[in-house]
Structure formats: structure tokens, C-alpha cells
Amino acid sequence: MTADDNTTLGLARQIYELGGIEFGSFTLGRSTVDSPVYVNPKRLIAVPAALRTAAELVRQTAELAVARLHHPAEPCELVAGVPMGGLHLATAYSLATDIPLVYLSPQPSSGGLLLEGRFLPGQQALLVDDLITTGGSVIATANAMREQGLVVRDVIVLIDRDLGAARRLQQHGLHLLPILSLRTMLNYYMSEQLIREADYRRSLDYIARHQVV
């Protein structure tokens, strides 16, 4: 495998070089327990050029979704980031495409969520996140936006951890469009001898054992 800075593998390389891949034993809430690999795409914000690359890949993925033959996506009129990991990516995408941004803001006084930005009921919104495991936060964000009258069908994520999120989102009327899968990243890192074979095999085994089918 080879990569340049503007490809999906180039993005995987940048995440690795920014320290966004770690191996060990990681528990991050109920969805990720004793995982041998930790993925942190938020490291991309440290390098504006890397964040621009991520935004460009989101743009390309969105355009391909609109052009697909089966169940094409509607062109989005708004973009929203899943709090909080998707917000920086949605902002970069908005700046690159001039598509208006909206986002959910927690309201401490009421305990609810306020959808910030300007929007009209019936507008089509693209949902963006940096990483997806089971999809719970994506579903919650989509439902909150739908309650405000927005149409949410397509979700673009930088990295899918390959644990069955696509199937779960489908049950909620959402179509997942991942730019990278964790398997693809691991295969690339192994082919470039960036990671140890023991970490590679433990990570693939974890995915296989925990994937929801």
C-alpha cells in the first residue's frame, strides 16, 4: 500500500504520525471495553493542513453519495457535527464548501439541547463525526435534529471501528459513509511496518470478536 497526503491512506498516515494510534488496553465507556487499540483522530486539529485534508475527503465522500446509483443522497443544505468530536470536522467542511453549519449545544439550565445556527424545517442536513463505534451518539444527534424538523439521512465519519455501527444506524434510517475503517488502517500500518505484528493481530482479533452482525 502507498499513500500521499490527500488520500484516505495519507490521512491514516497523518493520524499515526500525530500520535493518534496507541496500543495497550483501553476502556472508553460502555461501547469500548479492554480494546487493544486506541484511535484518536482529534489529533488532526494540531495540523491545519491535515484537518483540511480530512475536510476535503468528507467533501469527496458527500459528492460520491449524491452520485451513487442506488439510493442516492440528497445534496445537503446544512452540515452538523456530532458533539464534540465531529464539530471541528464539520466546521472545516463548512469553511471548505460554504455549506452552513449547525450544531447542538447543551443547555445547563434545562438539561436539554439547543440547535444553534440558522435553519428551516425540511432542510437536508449532513451529519459528520470523526469516529464511530456503536453509533449511539450519532443516533441521538440525528434524532435531536429531526425533532427540529431537519431531514437527516447520511452520516460521514472519518473512521469506523468496524463494530457494527452501520447496521445499527440503518435501523434508525441513517446511512453510514465511512472514509476509513479501522481494519484498513491497521492493514496499512502493518504493510508499512509501523506497528508490531502482535498489536496488529490482537486488534484484528478484538474487532472480529466484538463485531455486531
Side-chain angles (χ1 to χ4, degrees):
M1 297 183 186
T2 59
D4 61 57
D5 288 345
N6 296 316
T7 65
T8 55
L9 293 182
L11 183 68
R13 182 79 181 218
Q14 290 178 85
I15 292 170
Y16 174 85
E17 291 179 348
L18 289 168
I21 301 294
E22 298 179 48
F23 295 96
S25 180
F26 306 93
T27 296
L28 308 169
R30 291 177 296 177
S31 63
T32 306
V33 178
D34 292 331
S35 171
V37 57
Y38 173 59
V39 187
N40 183 12
K42 295 176 184 62
R43 291 294 182 93
L44 292 170
I45 65 174
V47 180
L51 188 56
R52 280 195 297 271
T53 295
E56 171 61 18
L57 290 170
V58 172
R59 185 191 65 78
Q60 293 175 15
T61 302
E63 290 181 355
L64 287 172
V66 172
R68 66 186 179 224
L69 293 177
H70 301 289
H71 308 295
E74 294 292 331
C76 66
E77 300 167 274
L78 302 167
V79 60
V82 177
M84 290 293 298
L87 186 54
H88 62 278
L89 184 58
T91 301
Y93 174 76
S94 174
L95 290 170
T97 60
D98 288 328
I99 294 173
L101 174 75
V102 295
Y103 70 95
L104 289 169
S105 174
Q107 302 299 295
S109 58
S110 64
L113 295 170
L114 177 66
L115 187 59
E116 301 280 7
R118 298 182 64 183
F119 58 92
L120 295 172
Q123 284 188 297
Q124 188 87 23
L126 172 68
L127 201 51
V128 176
D129 206 355
D130 60 351
L131 179 72
I132 192 166
T133 303
T134 61
S137 58
V138 169
I139 293 166
T141 302
N143 287 342
M145 293 172 62
R146 286 166 171 171
E147 289 173 1
Q148 298 296 318
L150 295 179
V151 179
V152 186
R153 296 195 184 104
D154 288 282
V155 180
I156 296 178
V157 298
L158 280 188
I159 302 168
D160 179 6
R161 284 183 59 96
D162 294 312
L163 297 178
R167 181 178 293 274
R168 188 178 181 200
L169 263 60
Q170 190 176 39
Q171 295 170 352
H172 292 264
L174 296 166
H175 184 249
L176 181 63
L177 299 160
I179 291 172
L180 278 164
S181 72
L182 183 53
R183 278 194 184 93
T184 297
M185 296 173 72
L186 292 167
N187 287 337
Y188 169 66
Y189 297 147
M190 189 63 206
S191 72
E192 294 292 300
Q193 298 183 331
L194 297 173
I195 60 177
R196 298 186 309 165
E197 184 172 356
D199 292 328
Y200 170 74
R201 295 198 177 280
R202 281 198 309 125
S203 299
L204 290 185
D205 180 64
Y206 180 89
I207 293 170
R209 286 187 289 107
H210 290 82
Q211 186 175 34
V212 178
V213 295

